[in-house]
Amino acid sequence: MKTRTLGRTGLRVGELSLGGLFVASFASPLDTARATVSRALDLGISYIDTAPTYGNSEEVLGQALAGEKRPFLLSTKLGGRPQPFKPQDRSCLMASVEESLRLLRRTTIDILMIHEPDRPGQYDWWTDWEEVTGPVLEVLDELKRSGVIRFTGIGGTTAYELGRMVRTGRFDVVLSAYNYSLLWREATLDIFPAAAEKNVGVILGSPLQQGALSRRYDREVKEGAPWLSRPRREQLLALYRLLDETRMDIAEMGLRFVLSSPAVSTVLFGAASPQEVERNVAAAEKGPLPASIVKEIDRVAAMVPFRPFEEPAGLGWHLASPGSYKGPGVAR
């Protein structure tokens, strides 16, 4: 697998990396999860990401990677554990790291990220939101000095808060999800430029937009989902026509598109089986998309430059489950 440099960490990572969510027991039996992780390492994947909130992913990875001799990098996060989680309490944060080390069966963590630092309604990390300060930064510094962690990062899903936090210069990597894919481009406006300014590695999550771009929803787009905006509906149909013209699978086009960006250090994909790993790696091995196809994708993406207000973040989940979405919640 081709490798890229993960920003100022200097680490070389494969273009594709394994997201650990779907090796958790809610998605995969343990034997399958072990086989999935082993197959990923076989195929040159050298970086695996997880989090305390990904079910029992840390525990499963600890078992799957125990005694592993092939080289790999591992990241996990702070957030959501222990309960009640107190993001500004040093003892709570240290307890979370100690539990991650125990579950992962490691004495060090390659990259430790703050999970959802950009959503104070989820985790209220910062004592000063504008200056981005809080006890968690002191904890990260202490862990880094003691050698428990090698590098630090932030992982979130908003379009502009992450860029502001990257510009503080406090973090080595940024994991951005939901914000860069075939049809969603917000990361190009602020996150990618901020990362380039600070030489911060960009880890791209959800390249297939949590299922919205993992398969086609022709019938649902044409006939269902009454909450789906007309511009998005027309855009998805235009993308499907481009897929027909190029005779390309949507998941392959999606992966090859994000890998065409030099701003991206590595792309995380979720896999619940060795076969899914193989399909993703096979798509990536075909290389970046031709410039002519990227130009057409850019034209389609420009049809909806910003997300419609009513559109849920997990668009694919709701397209796949008619009636599951009833519109946005309380206005904020």
Side-chain angles (χ1 to χ4, degrees):
M1 179 175 295
K2 294 179 182 177
T3 62
R4 301 183 185 188
T5 302
L6 188 58
R8 66 194 196 192
T9 70
L11 299 172
R12 296 293 293 181
V13 292
E15 291 184 323
L16 285 185
S17 296
L18 182 64
L21 177 61
F22 294 111
V23 301
S25 296
F26 71 84
S28 302
L30 180 57
D31 287 348
T32 302
R34 285 173 167 161
T36 299
V37 173
S38 181
R39 190 62 180 139
L41 294 173
D42 286 343
L43 295 175
I45 289 169
S46 58
Y47 171 48
I48 302 171
D49 174 74
T50 184
T53 53
Y54 295 173
N56 67 339
S57 172
E58 287 185 321
E59 182 179 10
V60 170
L61 287 171
Q63 295 180 49
L65 294 167
E68 180 59 59
K69 301 301 183 185
R70 290 169 289 187
F72 66 90
L73 300 167
L74 192 61
S75 65
T76 192
K77 305 178 183 72
L78 287 166
R81 184 194 64 212
Q83 289 291 329
F85 184 65
K86 301 175 183 178
Q88 295 187 32
D89 184 280
R90 181 185 183 282
S91 61
C92 182
L93 300 177
M94 294 300 289
S96 180
V97 175
E98 289 165 5
E99 182 67 355
S100 289
L101 291 168
R102 185 186 73 82
L103 292 171
L104 293 168
R105 304 186 184 190
R106 291 171 66 90
T107 57
T108 61
I109 295 168
D110 295 304
I111 304 171
L112 183 64
M113 301 187 210
I114 303 172
H115 208 174
E116 305 291 0
D118 46 342
R119 293 183 180 272
Q122 183 167 346
Y123 300 127
D124 190 15
W125 293 104
W126 311 116
T127 53
D128 187 322
W129 185 259
E130 292 187 7
E131 295 297 322
V132 191
T133 59
V136 66
L137 297 179
E138 298 168 10
V139 168
L140 291 178
D141 286 344
E142 180 181 336
L143 291 169
K144 205 171 184 180
R145 284 195 303 270
S146 65
V148 174
I149 65 174
R150 298 175 64 194
F151 300 103
T152 64
I154 49 176
T157 54
T158 61
Y160 309 107
E161 289 294 338
L162 284 178
R164 185 170 67 85
M165 293 173 184
V166 167
R167 286 191 173 92
T168 67
R170 293 299 304 263
F171 309 105
D172 301 310
V173 302
V174 57
L175 194 168
S176 175
Y178 295 165
N179 291 321
Y180 188 67
S181 62
L182 288 173
L183 303 184
W184 283 260
R185 303 295 180 83
E186 293 97 329
T188 64
L189 301 177
D190 199 45
I191 297 172
F192 288 0
E197 289 170 22
K198 297 297 182 179
N199 192 22
V200 164
V202 174
I203 301 163
L204 186 71
S206 303
L208 303 182
Q209 215 66 28
Q210 288 292 310
L213 300 173
S214 63
R215 70 175 180 86
R216 294 174 58 152
Y217 298 91
D218 294 75
R219 183 185 62 79
E220 293 86 350
V221 171
K222 291 175 182 176
E223 304 171 6
W227 44 266
L228 193 64
S229 68
R230 180 174 57 80
R232 183 70 84 196
R233 201 180 297 272
E234 292 174 351
Q235 183 192 48
L236 285 166
L237 293 175
L239 175 64
Y240 296 164
R241 288 193 294 271
L242 179 61
L243 292 168
D244 290 337
E245 293 168 9
T246 58
R247 298 182 180 180
M248 195 176 299
D249 174 78
I250 187 170
E252 177 190 325
M253 179 180 281
L255 281 176
R256 292 176 67 190
F257 171 77
V258 295
L259 287 170
S260 299
S261 171
V264 175
S265 305
T266 189
V267 176
L268 293 176
F269 69 91
S273 70
Q275 292 74 29
E276 290 180 21
V277 174
E278 291 165 358
R279 284 197 296 271
N280 285 314
V281 171
E285 285 179 343
K286 293 182 180 180
L289 291 170
S292 59
I293 294 180
V294 171
K295 183 177 180 180
E296 287 302 303
I297 294 170
D298 289 345
R299 178 185 61 78
V300 175
M303 294 171 66
V304 187
F306 297 100
R307 305 182 196 199
F309 176 76
E310 294 93 333
E311 185 173 289
L315 179 60
W317 301 336
H318 299 294
L319 285 174
S321 304
S324 65
Y325 182 63
K326 307 298 183 184
V330 177
R332 294 188 293 167

